[in-house]
Amino acid sequence: MIRVTKNLALISDLLAIAAREAGRDPDTVKLLAVSKKQPADKILAAAAAGQRDFGENFVHEGLDKIHATAAEDLTWHFIGHLQSNKTRAVAENFDWVHTIDKLKIAKRLSSQRPDDRPALNVCLQVNVDAEETKSGVSVDGLPELAAACTELPNIRLRGLMCLPAIRQGFEAQREPFARLRELALQLERSGLTLDTLSMGMSADFRAAIFEGATIVRIGTALFGERT
Ligand SMILES: *Cc1c(COP(=O)(O)O)cnc(C)c1O
């Protein structure tokens, strides 16, 4: 587990360097450690080194790890595709959901969020490249979904998330992230209060930070290849 500790220090440095290069305060970029298909002991190693935020894509796998690390007081983000029959477990056990793309899911999460927990933090996933195979609300459908989510009592709309098509090269990678930033700005101009852009992964976090990412979701670069 020495490698996880080392990688964490290295990535934290790279995030801070990118933020400073972009003229930003490094404290405005949060590292979300994506632990899907990684064993709980790697999560514990990262937690011991100070990492607090972890992301999981699969409900049952996520619940197992939340329980296995319950002594650590970690913050759990659901970043996978969420089916309506699994919303209750997510509403009861996670702190964030990054992948809302339908009002039906948002409504279920709000109604199933336990009263003794703070509102569930959510981001809307936007299908920025209009890919048929990918989840996410369309650019056209975003304003209506965002407005409707702000009406739900037990979720708190924090911002937008995207998972763009793979691009090579820094400038090409910036382009979809710039569009997500612009979409968030448009929503803010229409009166919404947002503070989160969840964008950037192992291969493109630098471009995302240049375009304003506040949460970068990093798996492989931190934990190694998934098993
Ligand atoms: C797996 C995953 C990541 C992490 O990807 P890496 O390339 O391993 O950093 C980030 N976001 C989402 C939505 C993912 O599914």
Side-chain angles (χ1 to χ4, degrees), residues 34 36 57 79 161 163 200-203 217-221 226:
V34 175
K36 64 165 177 246
N57 291 60
I79 62 170
M161 177 271 204
L163 197 58
M201 319 201 298
S202 293
R217 309 178 309 265
I218 298 189
T220 318
R226 289 181 271 274

Side-chain angles (χ1 to χ4, degrees), residues 18 85 171:
N85 63 346
E171 292 304 326

Side-chain angles (χ1 to χ4, degrees), residues 14 23 37 66 76 97 111-112 134 139 152 190:
L14 293 177
K37 303 204 170 154
I66 289 171
W76 287 95
V97 176
S111 70
Q112 292 166 343
K134 236 170 233 170
V139 168
L152 298 171
S190 78

Side-chain angles (χ1 to χ4, degrees), residues 21-34:
E21 272 184 291
R24 301 180 53 194
D25 175 353
D27 288 344
T28 62
V29 181
K30 187 194 289 269
L31 170 60
L32 174 54
V34 175

